[in-house]
Amino acid sequence: MARAIALRLLNHSARSRAQLAEAMAAKDVPVEVAEAVLDRFTEVGLIDDEEYARMLVRTRHAERGLSRRAISVELRRRGIDDDLALAALDEVDDAQEAQAARALVRKRLASTRGLDPQVRARRTFAALGRKGYPPGLVSMLVREELAAEGADVEDEGFAPVD
C-alpha cells in the first residue's frame, strides 16, 4: 500500500520525501513500512530532495518570478531540509533576483499605465510584496521605472516600508 501511494503521487509530479511520508501517514501506513519504502525509493533515485529543491527553485523563480524568500518558504512547507534549501537557493544570486524584480515592476507598471502614479506604485508594491521581494528593492525599482517614464516620484508615498 505504501509503495502504491508513493508511486501514484510521483506519477503526477516530483515530490519531496516529507510530502510522501505525510501522504502515507494520512493513509495510516505504519511508520516503519513508510520509512522502508521511502529509503528504497531514495536508493533507486525515485526520490531526490536535493534535485527536487533545485528544480523548484528554477521553476518558481523563472516561471513565477518568486523571490528567494518566497521560494524558501515554499521549500520549508514541502519538507525540504534547510541545508538543501540553502544550497538550491544559492543558484539564484542577487543580480538575478533584482533582474526578475525589475521585469515584474516593468510588467506591472505597464499594465497600470494611465492611472495615477501613486496607484501604480501601490499596486506594484503589493504585487511584488506577494512574491516576496524586499520593500527597499521594490521601492528603488519603482522609483527608477517611474522616473524613466517622467512621472514625479518624490512623493512620500514612494518611501520604502522597511
Side-chain angles (χ1 to χ4, degrees), residues 14-127:
R15 307 286 171 131
S16 70
R17 182 181 176 107
Q19 288 174 305
L20 295 171
E22 188 178 298
M24 289 180 199
K27 298 284 186 180
D28 296 323
V29 173
V31 174
E32 54 279 349
V33 172
E35 285 297 317
V37 169
L38 293 172
D39 288 344
R40 179 65 183 147
F41 278 28
T42 300
E43 185 181 307
V44 298
L46 290 174
I47 301 172
D48 183 349
D49 279 358
E50 185 177 351
E51 179 54 34
Y52 178 71
R54 284 196 309 266
M55 180 267 313
L56 201 68
V57 168
R58 279 190 309 271
T59 59
R60 295 306 190 258
H61 180 70
E63 295 172 10
R64 294 189 185 173
L66 294 182
S67 69
R68 288 179 296 204
R69 190 179 97 210
I71 298 168
S72 174
V73 169
E74 186 169 351
L75 289 169
R76 189 170 295 116
R77 194 179 72 241
R78 291 174 182 251
I80 299 297
D81 175 75
D82 286 342
D83 291 335
L84 291 177
L86 285 173
L89 288 166
D90 280 345
E91 292 185 13
V92 178
D93 63 24
D94 291 342
Q96 290 170 311
E97 187 166 62
Q99 181 181 11
R102 183 175 300 280
L104 289 168
V105 165
R106 285 179 177 159
K107 181 178 179 183
R108 188 64 184 180
L109 289 175
S111 72
T112 59
R113 226 175 226 106
L115 296 176
D116 179 70
Q118 289 289 341
V119 171
R120 296 174 72 201
R122 195 171 48 247
R123 289 182 182 178
T124 303
F125 276 111

Side-chain angles (χ1 to χ4, degrees), residues 112-145:
T112 59
R113 226 175 226 106
L115 296 176
D116 179 70
Q118 289 289 341
V119 171
R120 296 174 72 201
R122 195 171 48 247
R123 289 182 182 178
T124 303
F125 276 111
L128 271 75
R130 287 188 297 273
K131 291 186 178 282
Y133 288 96
L137 173 65
V138 176
S139 176
M140 178 189 74
L141 295 174
V142 168
R143 283 176 178 272
E144 288 175 6
E145 294 301 320

